[in-house]
Amino acid sequence: MTRYPEGHVFYRRLTHDYRIIVRGEGCRVYDREGCDYIDACGGAFVANLGHGVREIADAMAHQAAHLGYVSGAAFTHEAVEQFASELAALCPGDLNKVYPLTSGSDAIEAALKLARQYWAEAGRPAKQRIIALTPAYHGNTLLALSASAREHYKTYFGGWLVDMIRIPAPYPYRCACGGERPYCAACSGDALEEAIVRTGPEKVAAFIAEPVGGSSTGASVPPPEYFRRVREICDRYDILFVADEVLVGAGRTGTWTAIAQSAVTPDLLVLGKGIAAGYAPLAAVVAPERLLAPLARGSGALMHAQTFSHHPVSCAAGLATIRYLRQHCLVERCASITPHFHHRLSALRSLPYVGDVRGRGLLAGVEFVADKETRAPFKRAEHFAERFVDAALDAGLVVWPNVGQANGTDGDLVMLAPPFVITEAEIDEIVTRFEQALSAPYLRVSRDRVEETKR
Ligand SMILES: Cc1ncc(COP(=O)(O)O)c(C=O)c1O
């Protein structure tokens, strides 16, 4: 273990004991002491192929040896041409132009800028406002953070952020209708239409949403009709629909894009995380030609120049990932193992403090509550999700925490998103380790305190 201020790394967490991981293979990573951890969340919803895939490493080494870098402003190259062409073929409808970048936040910034630049160059410069959901997370750079409803991330940056129009997310565990008909305004799409009408459609550039909730709602699945209604409303009022599939795309929900399951084509699609399976930092905005046409006739470029966009080695990793997924039928495998995954996870519902288990494909959220009847969350000061993550690590299980979803401050959940190569036996092991973590004495101390606060 190591922790700040040892060494010279400016760690992401300055109060955390870091285990030192030395290698990964399949669904497991190993620390310096030889302990194994099942990577049940692919690091951060990233390692979709599993760890240690030689083919991807070889493709990157080959690319680096032949052409490590040229600027996307001056040149194009085989790696980006092939990556874009194979990625475009997987995207729905007319989405066929790929702009590769290096992080999800960066790609969200680019997509939202493109939406605004498109309207400006198409002669409608007043269309500037963005509508986004609460809860939602779209990244941590300033425009992406503005689109996110992650208030504690905004604490020190208030004056620098852009004012977005916020509407409630479809969140069946906590919304008024529970995801059942008749739907509440959040789940029916009425909230979106009301916001557009209230603001004036002539001022709205885009609506951004995740087709299945990511970490902010813990894999909440909207009602099946939701995105068809969103599409209809956006078409009626001339609003661009931006699908943020940074977390849920690249096969995670059992199809290449999650939105494909709603039979809807967004105007802009944003991918990240799993598209190069963690072997290289890679994200992408995928746009239709109709949105690029005004730029091509006008300014001549998307105003989002980045040194490392269109990067040869990252694109080679993305291309090798797409080919590996295809060759080993891993998106199909993700879909076919989904029933076992959700069946085994549903057993967690009977455990203390597990309020809900939900998700789609190899993506699941487990929401913890202090009271299962009333769904009352733990007080934030309990840090239940963070404590659970530590207990899970002690049990050899890596899960992803998120907090604040119940009311903006309180709320604890953890996410599971294992690599697509996970076996049924490994899924069973995840459940066993999860149960073990939840019964850890370390966590029980916290639970007893919560009981006291309830009395
Ligand atoms: C839905 C969604 N969008 C955007 C982002 C930002 O991606 P990155 O962390 O790669 O900048 C994330 C990251 O978790 C995400 O989950």
Side-chain angles (χ1 to χ4, degrees), residues 14 25 100 104 167 218 277 343 453:
L14 303 177
E25 190 180 336
I167 59 169
H343 171 67
T453 61

Side-chain angles (χ1 to χ4, degrees), residues 329-352:
C329 300
L330 287 184
V331 178
E332 294 78 357
R333 185 189 158 75
C334 169
S336 66
I337 204 161
T338 287
H340 183 78
F341 181 61
H342 288 279
H343 171 67
R344 292 295 284 113
L345 290 183
S346 67
L348 299 176
R349 284 174 195 273
S350 62
L351 298 178

Side-chain angles (χ1 to χ4, degrees), residues 49 53-68 79 82 276 279-280 311-324:
L49 307 182
V53 177
R54 167 63 52 192
E55 284 88 330
I56 316 299
D58 287 347
M60 292 171 68
H62 183 263
Q63 181 62 47
H66 281 76
L67 177 68
Q82 286 179 21
Y279 290 84
H311 193 282
V313 181
S314 298
C315 289
L319 179 64
T321 298
I322 290 173
R323 289 182 175 173
Y324 191 89

Side-chain angles (χ1 to χ4, degrees), residues 40 53 78 90 108 111 117 144 199 269 283 304 360 371 414 443:
V53 177
E78 273 301 302
L90 292 165
I108 293 290
Q117 194 179 335
T199 310
L269 173 71
H304 190 75
R360 185 198 280 175
D371 186 323
V414 292
L443 203 60

